[in-house]
Structures are given as structure tokens and as C-alpha cells.
Amino acid sequence: MSIIYSQEFNSFYLSTPNTSYVLSVNPGGFLIHNYYGCRLPVCDMRFTAERSSQASFCPNSADLTTVPDKAPMEYSCNGTGDYRVSALQIRESRGNASTDIRYVSHKFYKGKPALPGQPATYASQDEAETLEILTRDNVTGAEVTLYYTVFNNYDAIARRAVIHNSSALPLDLERVYSACYDIPKGNWDICHLYGTWAKERTFEQNPLPHGITSIESKRGSSSHYHNPFVAIASHNASEDQGDVYGVSLIYSGNFSMQVEQDTEGDLRLIAGINPTDFGWHLEPGASFETPEAVSVYSAEGLGEMSRTFHKLYRNNLCRGPWKNAKRPLLINNWEGTYFDFDEEKIYNIAKDASELGIEMLVLDDGWFGARNHDRAGLGDWYVNENKLRGGLGLLTQRIHALGMKFGLWFEPEMINPDSDLYRAHPDWCLQVAGRPMSLGRNQYVLDMSRPDVRDYLFERMDTILNEAQIEYIKWDFNRNITEAASALLPAHQQKEIFHRYVLGLYELLERLLTAHPDLLLEGCSGGGGRFDPAMLYYSPQIWTSDDTDAIERLTIQYGTSMCYPTTAISSHVSVCPNHQTGRSLPLQTRADVALAGTFGYELDVTKMSDEEKEAVKAHVAEYHKYYDLIHFGELYRLIPPNADECAWSYVAEDKTEALLTFVNIRCRPQTRRCVKFRGLAPDKIYADQDGNIRPGSVWMNVGIIKTDTMRDFETFKVYLKEVK
Ligand code: DGJ
């Protein structure tokens, strides 16, 4: 039983294999958070909510049962005495927005209900249990149901809220977060992933200050700048030590994760839709469902937290036939040709690639409309037969005849002003009447909340997929949203547009996958500008960054791995000098770094020397040899990328084999390099590829010692196999 209710203590006990989560109902009906951490037996935990006596500046609730500003509130409300960041604020029709919810009833059951129209983790009856707590604001008539799903095999809890207007008057939701976590005082750091284009998801760990720290996006997508992931970790928590609470939001739009450390040092973390530029008008009888937030507690540092997210997201978020299937090893023509190609050039790339063992050709931007540069054509999803003579049908046939699969690039949500679609439907863009529209990469954003826009996009994509044999789509999104208004929404609902956009996007993705269930989608947004768990629900792999320089990728992939599994991290070998950085790196290094993801190539293979082609064949063989270990093994980050070096390893779940990769970033003569395995079985005996046979405990406590001078950017790998 993962969920227990104690009538005696009026408390709920949620258990995962190694963690407990406890909340209770106080005499006034307030939901109070009591505990989240290492697994504990069921006992009276209500004492954890005791706080120093109140002062007049922290008012009592009207019924004197709590001091909302000090109590660990389970789902905090604004305007009734809790001055910290709050999860919920509802404005009622008389104009006031003070909000206060109290317990009404609860139920719990096996399994996990779906979240209609939105991506979420899923679980069978045997994999999880769900608790629903119904609460009510007696003044506004808002009913708030809090959902908690406890996974039986993972130390993870999924949460969300549903707001139902049970009154006779409309309500306006002003902030409605998915979850609120009150964490008692400690010496806490905040860990998060920041970045920009070509520099996504840089990991940062800092002591948490007093006041509010906000990790958020207002860009219309989760963005390159922040990721919907935050971890609260004990000060200096490392890969294998320290308490860590990781929270990840399954949402692709404007998100907000706020952490407030109050004067006493207690913390509150809220995760959900960003209230800035958000509102939702709720007519009587209507409901609003928040996205889902997932928390993972680890008592063994960041590494264990990441491994839990990896397994949960791989097995219970990604869906469809590709979720755990071996992904095709692809070559993408973007950096090889940009817009300058015709069918012969693409065919020749495919032909040479097929001879090296590459399994899929992905035709990137430029195959449609007047798309000979990035100033025209977006929206005109008709094959440009001047470029691809014979059309996609012929090209895909020829590529399939090489024994390869075929993938195609789309950027459905966008439109160039210089396009037939814009000339026909200028009203289809997001726009504010009378205000000039901002351009981003010469393009506008389509209003994805409009059914007619989605119908057009579906018809175009569906037709193209039906007319040619296409196994994969790369779904791109190359700018952020401005002037966010929809021609179809009344004024009092314009604040809904950002969220409606995201719901429209989900609807189109779902429709496409329903019509083409075997399609492999790869998410993309100018690299990794929409690398979030919601996208993983549709596309089990996501282009990680437009920065394909393997040394830059060390930082990007390290940060990405905090929350996302290797199967999600698209990573390609590209040419040197690198197009983003101008840096030249050994081909082996580029391959070793790309192997830490869904491996592929992004260059014109016809320009490679025979020697390079032989090396590619060897890398392809390595990809196959290590595929299961890298993609389904457990990741141990051994040395975070620093000025000198970086290392990581994968250990098979049954601990019979492991693969370590070391990157020497800077040559330092007379410096020996040492790196220790983690996660092996101490008593198993392992042999490396050179015949060194040692117990796991030696590989972990002493590790590998390299005394020969390693050159700039040189790598080595160590493969261990258990000796029986
Ligand atoms: C941005 C993507 O990240 C690139 O890989 C490429 O697909 C371009 N868009 C094409 O315009």
C-alpha cells in the first residue's frame, strides 16, 4: 500500500520505495504539510508543523486554527494571511481575490488517471496509486482537487490540481500552480539549468538566499533560458551525497518555479504555469486542469535524483513504439548543406552514409515552398519540386532502396510574411490589432489556439506523410512569442492565449501521432529551446542544442542529464572547424561525446576522406556495441566539465558491465589523470578491454590512472565486463 490514511491522526501517508510524504488536515480543515524525505513508519507527524508563536504581523486564520504565514501549507493560497509565494489566487465576480481552501473529502485508488489534453506521466494499476483530496473555498465556491500519484517503483510523486467552479457566478483564476512544496529550514542550495541559444541547460548550484528566487519563462515556450526543473539540495550536495528534492514540470509553455526562503529559513517551492500573462476565466460548472509536476527526493545526492527521473521519464512519460526501441542512427543535412541542396545532393549524402552503416537520412529545412533562405516559405508545406525534382515520393523511394529510413523537417507553428499562407490568412498569426508584429528569424507565430490553423497544419502534414514513406519528423520552433493575442478570443479571455497556444500545440501533436502511430518525432527549438518533459511525451528525443561543438556539448549534455534520460538527448557529429565555435576537435572526440545521446551525424559525408570514413565505420560499430548500455544503463556523472577534464559512465542495471568516457579538455604535461568508477558491484570482478582484472571496489575506490600526457581534447573510454 503506497497510500495510507490515518483517521486517528487525520493524516495521509504516501510512500515510495525509499521516501515518505505526509500531510494532514488540521482542526480548521487546512491542509498542512508535515514531511517529505527518507521513508519513515506511519506515526503521528503533526508535530512537525509547530512554529514559534504568532505575532500580529502574521495574522491568525479567522478560526484561530492556524497561522497561514508560518504553517507549512500544503497548497498555499493568496490573500488570507500567507504572505509567501502562493499556489492559488482566484478573483471572484465582486472583484476580490482572497482565497482560502479547506478539506472536504478524499479518495485513493490504484493506477493513475489521464490528464485530458495534456502530457503527463502514466502508470498501470500495478505501478502507482493516486490520492485525490477535494477542498473548497466556501466564499467563492471554487472546488480545488489536489492529485498525488505515488509510483511503486520510483521515488517519485506526481502532482497536479483541478479547479472547478461550483458557484453560480464566473471566477477568474489568476495564479494556479501545479504543486507547492514546503521544506523545513536547513542549509539549502538551489540547483537549476540556465542558458541561451547554443548554450542551453547550464547547471548551476548556489546557496539559496532569503527572499524569492524565480526560475521562469515568459517566452511562450519553456525556452533556452531556463528549464522547468529545479532541485533544492543540501549545501554542497554532490553527485552521491546530500538531500535533494528535484522538481520537474511537465509543461512546454510559460512556466514558473519560485523558491522562497522566509525569515526563519523555511522554504517553499511552487511549480506551475507562470502567472505573468496568464489568467483563466471559469464559467459556472467549468474546470481548469493544471499541468503535472513531478518531485523526486534523493538522500544520495544529485546522481540518484537524476537516475530516478531518467527511468520514470523513459518508461512512464515517453510513449509509443519508439519509447524504448533502438533509434535509427541518422544523418541530418542541415550543417552539411543548409538551404543549398537538390535531390541529387541529398541522395548522394544518403548513399555515402548508407555505406558507412548510417540508417536514416533526415532532410532538414528548405524542401518546401520558396524556402531557399530563412526569409520566405514557412507555412507553405508543399514540396518545392524545382529543388527536389520528382518530389518527395521519388526521393524517399530512392533512399529506401539504399536500405535507409527517411526523416523530414517541419516548423509547423511558424509563418514567414513572405509566404502564400500569410498572403491568404494574415489573421492566422498571433497579433494585437493596430500594433506592428515583431519578427523573430524573419517569421511570425501562428495562433495555435485556433482550430482552423491546426486543421490546416494537420492536413498538410498528414498529406505529406501519406504521399511518401516518412518514418521521422523533426518538429522545430525557431522564435519566441510576442504580441500574444488571438483574433478569436473575447477581451476577457485574452489572458488565456499563452496556455491555449500550448494546449493547441499538444492537440496537434496528439492528432498527428494518432494518425501516424509509428512515426518517430524529434523535438527541436533552435536547438534545445523546448527541451522539456512535456515534449518528451510526444517526441522521445529532442535536438539538444544547435551548438554541435563537442566541448561545448559537455556542459550542455551534463546539465541536460540532470533531469532527462540519454534516450532523449539528440547529439550529432559535425564538421570541423565547428560552425558555431570555429574549434577543431578530433573525430573520435566528436563521436565519443555524441555517443552520450541519440547518436547521429550532421555534415556532408561526401566530403569526408577515406580515412575519416573508416573512422565513422568504427564509431557506428561502437554505437551498436554500447547502445543498450548507454541508453538503458544508469548514468554516473564522474567529473563535471571543468577547464581540464570531464568524465561520465553508464553502468548496466544488473551491474555486469560499464562504460566510462573521459575527455581531456586541456593538455597539461606531467599531469596524471585519475577517474573512479561509481555504481559498480564492489564484489564483482571486472575486466577492462586491456585485460586488467580487478574487483569493483578497486575500480571504484582507486579507479583508472593515466600517466601518459593526453593532448588537448583527447578522449579515452574504458569498458568493463564482469568476469564470472
Ligand atoms: C534550427 C534547428 O535547431 C536546426 O537544427 C535546423 O533545423 C534549423 N533550425 C533549420 O532552420
Side-chain angles (χ1 to χ4, degrees):
M1 290 273 282
S2 307
I3 299 175
I4 292 172
Y5 170 66
S6 157
Q7 202 157 18
E8 184 186 0
F9 308 137
N10 211 356
S11 298
F12 300 92
Y13 299 83
L14 281 53
S15 309
T16 69
N18 301 295
T19 70
S20 293
Y21 187 109
V22 185
L23 66 147
S24 56
V25 184
N26 91 349
F30 286 100
L31 290 183
I32 304 292
H33 180 75
N34 294 113
Y35 176 76
Y36 188 21
C38 285
R39 188 161 173 158
L40 299 177
V42 169
C43 63
D44 188 354
M45 296 291 285
R46 290 172 295 179
F47 71 97
T48 63
E50 285 167 17
R51 296 289 183 266
S52 53
S53 58
Q54 78 274 22
S56 49
F57 295 97
C58 299
N60 277 295
S61 60
D63 62 5
L64 300 182
T65 63
T66 192
V67 179
D69 203 29
K70 293 191 168 195
M73 306 301 283
E74 182 61 23
Y75 189 72
S76 60
C77 296
N78 196 49
T80 45
D82 188 343
Y83 298 99
R84 297 166 290 178
V85 289
S86 60
L88 186 66
Q89 178 170 310
I90 303 176
R91 195 168 294 275
E92 36 106 329
S93 51
R94 291 168 301 179
N96 182 268
S98 55
T99 310
D100 173 7
I101 56 169
R102 308 289 175 105
Y103 171 86
V104 176
S105 63
H106 73 267
K107 61 179 177 186
F108 51 92
Y109 45 84
K110 281 178 180 281
K112 182 174 193 290
L115 173 49
Q118 293 189 62
T121 55
Y122 57 88
S124 67
Q125 299 278 308
D126 300 332
E127 287 179 308
E129 277 182 45
T130 298
L131 167 67
E132 285 180 32
I133 302 180
L134 175 65
T135 67
R136 188 178 156 85
D137 182 338
N138 287 324
V139 174
T140 61
E143 287 180 351
V144 180
T145 306
L146 304 180
Y147 285 74
Y148 300 78
T149 294
V150 183
F151 290 89
N152 296 339
N153 296 326
Y154 307 119
D155 289 319
I157 299 175
R159 290 180 58 180
R160 62 188 175 93
V162 177
I163 320 300
H164 176 73
N165 184 356
S166 64
S167 78
L169 295 167
L171 298 173
D172 281 289
L173 307 183
E174 296 192 330
R175 17 184 332 120
V176 50
Y177 279 74
S178 304
C180 170
Y181 305 87
D182 273 21
I183 300 170
K185 66 179 168 188
N187 199 1
W188 296 113
D189 286 350
I190 179 167
C191 309
H192 66 109
L193 309 171
Y194 73 96
T196 182
W197 175 80
K199 198 177 161 220
E200 300 88 338
R201 289 172 302 287
T202 306
F203 177 75
E204 183 172 69
Q205 176 169 1
N206 283 324
L208 193 69
H210 286 88
I212 300 168
T213 305
S214 191
I215 307 297
E216 62 167 38
S217 169
K218 297 191 295 184
R219 295 170 175 270
S221 67
S222 46
S223 92
H224 302 80
Y225 293 79
H226 290 287
N227 195 262
F229 163 81
V230 161
I232 301 299
S234 46
H235 186 47
N236 287 339
S238 63
E239 280 297 317
D240 45 18
Q241 279 178 348
D243 290 323
V244 181
Y245 298 90
V247 176
S248 162
L249 185 72
I250 304 179
Y251 192 55
S252 290
N254 289 346
F255 73 91
S256 158
M257 300 178 98
Q258 294 196 324
V259 187
E260 179 164 2
Q261 179 169 204
D262 68 18
T263 314
E264 288 206 41
D266 291 326
L267 295 193
R268 171 172 294 160
L269 192 169
I270 51 174
I273 295 175
N274 194 336
T276 302
D277 296 330
F278 168 80
W280 200 269
H281 186 73
L282 216 51
E283 288 292 335
S287 297
F288 179 84
E289 313 213 42
T290 72
E292 180 170 283
V294 177
S295 65
V296 168
Y297 168 76
S298 156
E300 290 165 31
L302 291 159
E304 192 55 29
M305 172 207 68
S306 296
R307 289 185 286 277
T308 302
F309 274 121
H310 295 170
K311 281 183 248 182
L312 178 74
Y313 281 177
R314 218 174 58 215
N315 296 319
N316 293 74
L317 178 64
C318 293
R319 302 173 295 165
W322 286 105
K323 80 170 188 177
N324 281 325
K326 192 168 179 181
R327 309 286 167 71
L329 198 175
L330 66 84
I331 185 158
N332 177 304
N333 72 304
W334 179 243
E335 287 199 17
T337 68
Y338 295 104
F339 293 105
D340 179 19
F341 61 82
D342 59 16
E343 79 288 351
E344 225 31 59
K345 202 177 210 178
I346 296 300
Y347 178 75
N348 288 335
I349 290 176
K351 187 164 167 301
D352 278 19
S354 70
E355 285 160 12
L356 304 179
I358 295 172
E359 299 163 333
M360 179 162 74
L361 182 286
V362 176
L363 179 56
D364 210 279
D365 196 355
W367 57 268
F368 52 91
R371 187 73 173 169
N372 297 314
H373 43 67
D374 67 11
R375 297 182 302 283
L378 277 181
D380 297 340
W381 301 108
Y382 296 87
V383 182
N384 179 342
E385 297 216 14
N386 294 326
K387 241 175 171 175
L388 300 180
R389 280 155 299 205
L392 273 180
L394 183 61
L395 181 63
T396 54
Q397 273 170 27
R398 292 178 75 199
I399 286 175
H400 283 104
L402 295 169
M404 294 180 99
K405 295 186 187 325
F406 184 84
L408 194 61
W409 180 94
F410 280 91
E411 193 179 359
E413 300 153 76
M414 299 291 166
I415 181 167
N416 284 119
D418 184 2
S419 67
D420 292 341
L421 185 68
Y422 184 74
R423 285 180 279 275
H425 296 287
D427 55 320
W428 279 11
C429 301
L430 291 172
Q431 58 193 293
V432 178
R435 185 177 295 287
M437 283 185 274
S438 309
L439 279 165
R441 204 195 185 202
N442 310 304
Q443 62 202 49
Y444 300 142
V445 186
L446 287 172
D447 179 356
M448 295 297 288
S449 75
R450 290 179 68 129
D452 50 359
V453 169
R454 299 199 301 269
D455 286 348
Y456 166 77
L457 294 172
F458 176 77
E459 187 280 326
R460 281 292 77 225
M461 296 180 87
D462 183 54
T463 304
I464 288 166
L465 288 172
N466 289 333
E467 283 174 359
Q469 195 185 338
I470 298 170
E471 284 89 0
Y472 158 113
I473 279 183
K474 178 176 172 188
W475 184 302
D476 210 342
F477 174 88
N478 279 304
R479 63 160 288 182
N480 288 136
I481 293 177
T482 52
E483 295 90 33
S486 171
L488 295 191
L489 286 174
H492 69 282
Q493 283 186 285
Q494 286 292 342
K495 276 197 138 190
E496 300 175 6
I497 185 60
F498 273 109
H499 186 55
R500 285 186 181 275
Y501 180 97
V502 176
L503 295 179
L505 167 64
Y506 294 157
E507 195 260 356
L508 180 60
L509 285 159
E510 190 69 41
R511 207 161 145 197
L512 196 71
L513 286 172
T514 305
H516 301 275
D518 293 332
L519 190 67
L520 171 58
L521 279 189
E522 173 156 327
C524 178
S525 169
R530 201 158 59 183
F531 201 122
D532 58 56
M535 280 299 126
L536 281 187
Y537 188 69
Y538 305 100
S539 56
Q541 60 191 59
I542 302 177
W543 182 226
T544 309
S545 177
D546 276 346
D547 197 335
T548 54
D549 177 303
I551 295 303
E552 295 304 298
R553 275 295 185 111
L554 293 175
T555 305
I556 296 166
Q557 293 178 189
Y558 167 79
T560 306
S561 77
M562 283 292 153
C563 186
Y564 304 100
T566 309
T567 46
I569 299 175
S570 285
S571 197
H572 299 167
V573 174
S574 61
V575 286
C576 280
N578 181 271
H579 291 188
Q580 285 72 40
T581 63
R583 193 183 278 136
S584 289
L585 300 172
L587 187 52
Q588 184 67 48
T589 304
R590 286 177 269 155
D592 283 337
V593 173
L595 277 170
T598 67
F599 189 63
Y601 289 83
E602 181 143 349
L603 40 72
D604 185 348
V605 69
T606 63
K607 295 185 178 151
M608 282 184 133
S609 68
D610 289 346
E611 195 189 339
E612 285 175 320
K613 285 183 173 169
E614 284 311 305
V616 169
K617 283 186 193 163
H619 300 152
V620 168
E622 287 193 305
Y623 162 83
H624 290 298
K625 177 172 177 199
Y626 297 130
Y627 189 91
D628 284 354
L629 181 53
I630 289 175
H631 294 88
F632 307 119
E634 304 205 306
L635 174 70
Y636 288 83
R637 293 175 292 253
L638 304 176
I639 304 174
N642 59 45
D644 288 344
E645 55 194 16
C646 178
W648 62 92
S649 70
Y650 303 95
V651 179
E653 267 199 278
D654 65 3
K655 305 210 181 281
T656 55
E657 54 174 351
L659 177 71
L660 178 151
T661 305
F662 180 96
V663 184
N664 191 62
I665 295 173
R666 185 164 60 139
C667 173
R668 310 205 74 197
Q670 300 207 49
T671 300
R672 82 180 190 278
R673 300 300 196 189
C674 306
V675 54
K676 298 172 184 174
F677 273 94
R678 284 203 208 109
L680 302 175
D683 298 330
K684 282 193 197 293
I685 307 296
Y686 298 92
D688 71 7
Q689 70 269 33
D690 297 328
N692 297 304
I693 299 178
R694 294 170 193 144
S697 54
V698 173
W699 289 113
M700 290 195 290
N701 288 297
V702 182
I704 294 150
I705 301 169
K706 270 260 194 212
T707 50
D708 41 332
T709 300
M710 291 186 73
R711 298 291 165 212
D712 281 355
F713 312 128
E714 198 182 330
T715 58
F716 68 80
K717 296 201 284 300
V718 177
Y719 173 67
L720 297 186
K721 178 99 186 125
E722 184 188 2
V723 180
K724 301 259 182 184

